[in-house]
Amino acid sequence: MKPAPFDYRRPGTLSEAIAALAGEPDAKVLAGGQSLVPLLSMRLAAPSLLVDINGLPGLDTIEVTGEGDEPGVRVGALARHAAVLASDDVRRVQPLVPLALADVAHATIRNRGTTVGSIVHADAAAEMPVVLTLLGGSVEVEGPSGRRTIPADELYVGPLESSVGHDEIAVAAFFPALRPGAGVGFEEIARRHGDYALVGAAALVEGESVRVGFLSVSDVPTVVDLSGVADDELGDAALAQLEPMDDIHATAAYRSQLVRVLTTRVVRSAQEMAREGM
Ligand SMILES: Cc1cc2nc3c(=O)[nH]c(=O)nc-3n(C[C@H](O)[C@H](O)[C@H](O)COP(=O)(O)OP(=O)(O)OC[C@H]3O[C@@H](n4cnc5c(N)ncnc54)[C@H](O)[C@@H]3O)c2cc1C
């Protein structure tokens, strides 16, 4: 199938890109195109205009930085998954990001797809939205009324729906650093390596706090608090806070079993990292 007709612009500055989106509620930003182009080709999306941000300068950076008092890593909107995965800075500052990115699609898709694009695309089967939510990260967006920061827990408002406005461009995502003595773990089950996960889980252990985020379980990224739960009750305690969905990929019963198994595994990995360091 071919896409429905659309106009195309490739601005050279961020302000031109924002101006191009203004007054065009059906326009879409084009970043790596690895989610948007298939949607166009299948006619599941038919935007009037594509605003290609690949010509904007200064958006492909990956920086170790601080947000207020909080250290972390800031990933620009044109940083490709592959560059983020290969970054020693990211690995050192927040190891959960590369742990999860290694399971995002295949190398060819990671070479083109952007980490920020994945976060804004808001697919509950994707790894990066859950990682950002679990870590308490944020997204920096710019639109006609200036720049604002959206905390991850205000970002996901429904299936494939984020709170980024239609006239706003996400310029960066901020992942807080792993605190000393804390640990993370990540695992997912997919039919083939690189496929979207049937279920995935990410854990963050910080002192007494144990939190686990899930992908492909609900229609938005979901994080549960398992602090104080005994090791042999982790899976059931997670399930008590979730309602695994039924779809063509897996039944709710199968997903529930994967939640039980993966919760225990990722919490154990995170506890080991917290004890022994990276
Ligand atoms: C075969 C295949 C397998 C895949 N498997 C996985 C997987 O296992 N896990 C996974 O997480 N992903 C997977 N992906 C998707 C991939 O990670 C995409 O790269 C990613 O979801 C979107 O990034 P992108 O830069 O390609 O965004 P695009 O496709 O260009 O855009 C996606 C959406 O986000 C919006 N958008 C993008 N960037 C911005 C921005 N800066 N500001 C505002 N809006 C923006 C676009 O308007 C569009 O609505 C897969 C893709 C394919 C084709």
Side-chain angles (χ1 to χ4, degrees), residues 72-107:
V73 59
R74 184 180 184 273
V75 173
L78 289 175
R80 311 291 162 179
H81 290 312
V84 181
L85 179 57
S87 163
D88 290 336
D89 281 341
V90 175
R91 193 169 298 273
R92 179 173 47 80
V93 173
Q94 183 43 265
L96 182 58
V97 174
L99 272 178
L101 263 178
D103 280 334
V104 171
H106 313 276

Side-chain angles (χ1 to χ4, degrees), residues 28-38 53 77 81 103-106 109 112-114 116-118 120-121 125-128 164 168-171 194-197:
K28 280 271 177 206
V29 170
L30 175 68
Q34 299 303 298
S35 294
L36 184 54
V37 172
I53 60 171
H81 290 312
D103 280 334
V104 171
H106 313 276
I109 291 158
R112 192 70 201 154
T114 64
V116 170
S118 175
V120 176
H121 186 53
E127 288 77 1
M128 287 300 105
V164 177
E168 291 181 313
I169 294 177
V171 292
D195 281 2
Y196 280 102

